[in-house]
PDB file of all heavy atoms in Angstrom:
ATOM      1  N   ILE A 932     155.032 -49.260 -26.752  1.00 98.00           N
ATOM      2  CA  ILE A 932     154.578 -48.697 -27.970  1.00 98.00           C
ATOM      3  C   ILE A 932     153.738 -47.476 -27.664  1.00 98.00           C
ATOM      4  O   ILE A 932     152.712 -47.571 -26.883  1.00 98.00           O
ATOM      5  CB  ILE A 932     153.821 -49.813 -28.764  1.00 98.00           C
ATOM      6  CG1 ILE A 932     154.722 -50.961 -29.085  1.00 98.00           C
ATOM      7  CG2 ILE A 932     153.302 -49.137 -30.169  1.00 98.00           C
ATOM      8  CD1 ILE A 932     154.120 -52.131 -29.845  1.00 98.00           C
ATOM      9  N   LEU A 956     139.477 -44.665 -33.496  1.00 97.00           N
ATOM     10  CA  LEU A 956     139.206 -46.149 -33.525  1.00 97.00           C
ATOM     11  C   LEU A 956     140.406 -46.819 -34.140  1.00 97.00           C
ATOM     12  O   LEU A 956     140.735 -48.082 -33.669  1.00 97.00           O
ATOM     13  CB  LEU A 956     137.999 -46.419 -34.368  1.00 97.00           C
ATOM     14  CG  LEU A 956     137.552 -47.840 -34.617  1.00 97.00           C
ATOM     15  CD1 LEU A 956     137.192 -48.497 -33.335  1.00 97.00           C
ATOM     16  CD2 LEU A 956     136.438 -47.949 -35.615  1.00 97.00           C
ATOM     17  N   CYS A1104     135.993 -37.115 -53.058  1.00 95.00           N
ATOM     18  CA  CYS A1104     136.125 -38.043 -51.857  1.00 95.00           C
ATOM     19  C   CYS A1104     137.376 -38.910 -51.960  1.00 95.00           C
ATOM     20  O   CYS A1104     137.573 -39.590 -53.028  1.00 95.00           O
ATOM     21  CB  CYS A1104     134.843 -38.910 -51.876  1.00 95.00           C
ATOM     22  SG  CYS A1104     134.852 -40.053 -50.481  1.00 95.00           S
ATOM     23  N   ASN A1172     114.979 -44.839 -50.457  1.00 94.00           N
ATOM     24  CA  ASN A1172     114.236 -45.625 -51.419  1.00 94.00           C
ATOM     25  C   ASN A1172     113.977 -47.091 -50.922  1.00 94.00           C
ATOM     26  O   ASN A1172     113.440 -47.854 -51.623  1.00 94.00           O
ATOM     27  CB  ASN A1172     115.025 -45.732 -52.704  1.00 94.00           C
ATOM     28  CG  ASN A1172     115.335 -44.342 -53.337  1.00 94.00           C
ATOM     29  OD1 ASN A1172     114.525 -43.434 -53.123  1.00 94.00           O
ATOM     30  ND2 ASN A1172     116.403 -44.092 -53.960  1.00 94.00           N
ATOM     31  N   PHE A1257     117.887 -29.042 -39.749  1.00 98.00           N
ATOM     32  CA  PHE A1257     118.744 -30.095 -39.587  1.00 98.00           C
ATOM     33  C   PHE A1257     119.375 -30.118 -38.144  1.00 98.00           C
ATOM     34  O   PHE A1257     119.630 -28.964 -37.657  1.00 98.00           O
ATOM     35  CB  PHE A1257     119.908 -30.010 -40.553  1.00 98.00           C
ATOM     36  CG  PHE A1257     119.504 -30.295 -42.047  1.00 98.00           C
ATOM     37  CD1 PHE A1257     120.033 -29.618 -43.077  1.00 98.00           C
ATOM     38  CD2 PHE A1257     118.570 -31.298 -42.239  1.00 98.00           C
ATOM     39  CE1 PHE A1257     119.676 -29.903 -44.370  1.00 98.00           C
ATOM     40  CE2 PHE A1257     118.277 -31.631 -43.491  1.00 98.00           C
ATOM     41  CZ  PHE A1257     118.780 -30.923 -44.609  1.00 98.00           C
ATOM     42  N   MET A1307     134.697 -16.863 -57.161  1.00 97.00           N
ATOM     43  CA  MET A1307     135.069 -16.225 -55.875  1.00 97.00           C
ATOM     44  C   MET A1307     136.610 -16.063 -55.782  1.00 97.00           C
ATOM     45  O   MET A1307     137.288 -16.922 -56.471  1.00 97.00           O
ATOM     46  CB  MET A1307     134.488 -16.915 -54.683  1.00 97.00           C
ATOM     47  CG  MET A1307     133.011 -17.217 -54.703  1.00 97.00           C
ATOM     48  SD  MET A1307     132.640 -18.318 -53.317  1.00 97.00           S
ATOM     49  CE  MET A1307     132.311 -16.992 -52.079  1.00 97.00           C
ATOM     50  N   ASN A1339     114.386 -33.557 -33.610  1.00 98.00           N
ATOM     51  CA  ASN A1339     115.131 -33.011 -32.583  1.00 98.00           C
ATOM     52  C   ASN A1339     114.353 -32.959 -31.200  1.00 98.00           C
ATOM     53  O   ASN A1339     115.016 -33.034 -30.160  1.00 98.00           O
ATOM     54  CB  ASN A1339     115.472 -31.535 -32.947  1.00 98.00           C
ATOM     55  CG  ASN A1339     116.238 -31.519 -34.177  1.00 98.00           C
ATOM     56  OD1 ASN A1339     117.050 -32.465 -34.525  1.00 98.00           O
ATOM     57  ND2 ASN A1339     116.211 -30.391 -34.930  1.00 98.00           N
TER      58      ASN A1339
END
Side-chain angles (χ1 to χ4, degrees):
I932 301 177
L956 179 62
C1104 178
N1172 301 330
F1257 288 146
M1307 309 172 82
N1339 300 329

